[in-house]
Structures are given as C-alpha cells and as structure tokens.
Amino acid sequence: MNRRLPFDPIARAAKTWEERIGPSTTMAAVTGVMRVQQIVQSAVDGALKPHGLTFARYEALVLLSFARRGSLPMRVMGERLQLHPTSVTNIVDRLEKDGLVKRVPHPTDRRTTLVEITDDGHARLEDATKAVTGIDFGLVGLTSKQTEQLSDLLTKVRKATGDFDG
C-alpha cells in the first residue's frame, strides 16, 4: 500500500490505547518496529528482485563471501543466519540451481558438505550489494548517528531475549 495517510495511524492508535487500555509506549514502539520492518522489507525485496535474489539468499551469499575460504558447512550457515536446517537447505538448493553456489566435499570430514560461493555468485553479490546499499537497505530518514543508535537499541532487545551471548 503506497497511499499516504493524512495522519500517523500508530500515533492515533496509541492515543486510543491510552484512553481505553493504559500506557501505550511499548505498543506504539512495537507497532512502529513492525511497520518499519514492512517498509524496509519491501524496499530490499524491490532492490534484490532484479538480481533474482531474496534477502535470505542475499544474506547467504554475503555470509559465504565473508568466509575465509569462501565456503562453510551448511550447519554453520544455519547457526550464523539463525535459520532452521530445512530453510538453509532450501536457500542453498536455489542458489545452487542458479549457479551461485556449489556443494563440495569437506577436505577432512566425509560427513560434512561445504557450500562454496562461485564466481557467478560473487558477481551477482556485487551487483546486488550495489542495489541494496544504493537505497540504504530501505532505512531512510535517519542520520548515520541515529542509525547507529537504532542498531544499538535493537541489539539490546535481541541480547535481552537470548538471541546471542556476549
């Protein structure tokens, strides 16, 4: 939906919440986060679509490109991307079908298969990265300092819920 409203519906809902239920600070913040997630997701999807990628596949390519050898075991990919093994398998299957990654045997562990980014994967990743960074990943309207603050605040929530240790 791209129609601009003449008012902020979240602020209006918060006011009504205050009148009928009680303090609305948390409700308004969560509703705002959810709406911004929709906005960012739409922008990122739009930037990645011409490159034949979803955000999940893009993240997988980024992860592989960050690996020292350009390859990782699928189990490690799942841990780092915080995805269920079935989801990682689906992502890798699609990337492999598109020639962006390939499965290779682990050199010392016959039970492990590595996923390796291909030259085509590196090229697609480079183009896709230009597209998403060109739109600031859809996160517009903030200064660099505000973006850092937002990231810090979201990290606090993630840590408090046990998303990671450290």
Side-chain angles (χ1 to χ4, degrees), residues 29-143:
V30 169
T31 305
V33 167
M34 299 295 233
R35 178 62 186 133
V36 169
Q37 188 276 335
Q38 292 171 333
I39 292 165
V40 169
Q41 186 73 49
S42 177
V44 170
D45 286 348
L48 292 175
K49 188 173 184 174
H51 304 282
L53 294 172
T54 62
F55 189 66
R57 288 187 287 236
Y58 175 76
E59 278 188 307
L61 289 176
V62 170
L63 178 64
L64 291 171
S65 76
F66 287 172
R68 282 188 291 263
R69 293 184 178 91
S71 65
L72 289 170
M74 287 179 58
R75 176 189 54 77
V76 173
M77 289 180 68
E79 289 169 1
R80 303 260 171 86
L81 296 172
Q82 298 176 298
L83 294 173
H84 188 275
T86 303
S87 296
V88 176
T89 299
N90 290 336
I91 289 166
V92 170
D93 285 348
R94 181 59 191 267
L95 290 170
E96 188 174 42
K97 179 179 171 276
D98 292 345
L100 305 178
V101 302
K102 62 183 177 180
R103 287 177 168 93
V104 295
H106 192 284
T108 60
D109 184 352
R110 294 182 329 156
R111 298 167 296 166
T112 301
T113 299
L114 299 174
V115 179
E116 181 177 286
I117 189 168
T118 64
D119 290 342
D120 286 347
H122 280 292
R124 181 87 57 95
L125 176 60
E126 184 178 336
D127 291 341
T129 298
K130 287 177 187 171
V132 293
T133 57
I135 62 159
D136 288 330
F137 284 86
L139 193 61
V140 297
L142 300 177
T143 65

